[in-house]
Amino acid sequence: MIRDPSDLQRYNASERANHWVVGICFILLALSGLALFHPALFPLTGLFGGGVWTRILHPFVGVVMMLFFVVMFFRFKHLNQMTQTDWEWVKRAKEMVDGDDHNMPEMGKYNGGQKLLFWFLGAAMLVLFASGIVIWRAYFSAYFPIGVIRIGALLHAAFAALMIIAIIVHVYAAIWVRGTIRAMLYGTVTRAWAKQHHRAWYRQVTGK
């Protein structure tokens, strides 16, 4: 891809690598988790070498995802503090969905919807990790009473489903807002994109 030298850098190589490791782990966890969740989806275990390997690999991939997510969380949390402007953006999000984003409040590097998703994913990851430890039969489940294990299994399944839905929305939004995906592929966005969708951030990085 030929990039315009006037494009703005949105993510450096380290940030993009961090994001893609988390993303790839999430895909592996979603597929393996669904395979273990319902017999109709059990054929998905073939992607991991069968049912036994799926059960072995799923929690270890979860640990890797959690470690890289923690790095990403602390890397970006200062940029995701909700402000009054962000809440105003959330209230008026339907205007943007309807195709009219010209009167939306000026946003910094992230808009209100992205910030809410960030904090939801942080909470979901915490619940998934904690409940995953409780139901990890090979190492930890023996230390917990059966009632706690059942609650852990329920929470794990529920928050996994919510997280899958949230990530689907996240990916759809990235595709829907043209020019967004290139930020995570190449690290840059056009000035026009930045000015339209994140005008406050545009002003900050360009001084205009």
Side-chain angles (χ1 to χ4, degrees):
M1 178 180 177
I2 300 176
R3 292 186 287 276
D4 189 325
S6 68
D7 287 348
L8 304 176
Q9 183 180 54
R10 190 158 172 84
Y11 300 108
N12 60 39
S14 175
E15 292 168 338
R16 299 199 307 276
N18 195 168
H19 174 273
W20 286 114
V21 170
V22 172
I24 291 169
C25 286
F26 171 79
I27 292 171
L28 295 175
L29 287 167
L31 292 172
S32 57
L34 289 170
L36 298 172
F37 180 74
H38 195 279
L41 300 173
F42 190 77
L44 290 173
T45 59
L47 297 172
F48 304 90
V52 173
W53 274 109
T54 301
R55 289 185 179 276
I56 292 172
L57 292 173
H58 182 84
F60 283 106
V61 175
V63 171
V64 173
M65 180 179 173
M66 184 64 181
L67 290 174
F68 278 87
F69 182 86
V70 168
V71 173
M72 191 166 68
F73 180 86
F74 285 102
R75 177 175 256 165
F76 294 115
K77 73 181 183 69
H78 68 286
L79 295 170
N80 282 277
Q81 304 297 324
M82 292 293 290
T83 66
Q84 189 59 44
T85 305
D86 294 317
W87 288 115
E88 182 64 25
W89 185 97
V90 172
K91 292 177 183 177
R92 300 174 61 178
K94 188 176 183 302
E95 295 177 27
M96 186 191 67
V97 173
D98 291 338
D100 180 17
D101 63 350
H102 294 88
N103 296 316
M104 297 295 289
E106 291 190 3
M107 289 288 98
K109 190 166 187 177
Y110 301 109
N111 60 46
Q114 291 171 311
K115 290 181 178 182
L116 288 178
L117 176 64
F118 176 86
W119 292 108
F120 168 75
L121 292 179
M125 283 294 298
L126 187 61
V127 173
L128 286 169
F129 185 75
S131 59
I133 292 294
V134 170
I135 63 176
W136 195 347
R137 187 173 300 277
Y139 297 102
F140 303 107
S141 65
Y143 297 102
F144 300 96
I146 188 64
V148 173
I149 294 174
R150 288 172 177 168
I151 293 173
L154 179 62
L155 287 174
H156 201 78
F159 274 83
L162 291 173
M163 193 167 180
I164 288 173
I165 293 170
I167 295 300
I168 289 174
V169 173
H170 174 58
V171 173
Y172 176 78
I175 295 172
W176 181 60
V177 181
R178 188 176 181 181
T180 300
I181 291 180
R182 64 174 285 182
M184 269 304 167
L185 291 176
Y186 306 106
T188 61
V189 294
T190 65
R191 288 175 176 251
W193 182 95
K195 192 173 183 179
Q196 179 177 355
H197 301 294
H198 298 272
R199 188 179 294 262
W201 177 69
Y202 170 81
R203 295 183 193 280
Q204 178 186 349
V205 296
T206 63
K208 296 180 180 179

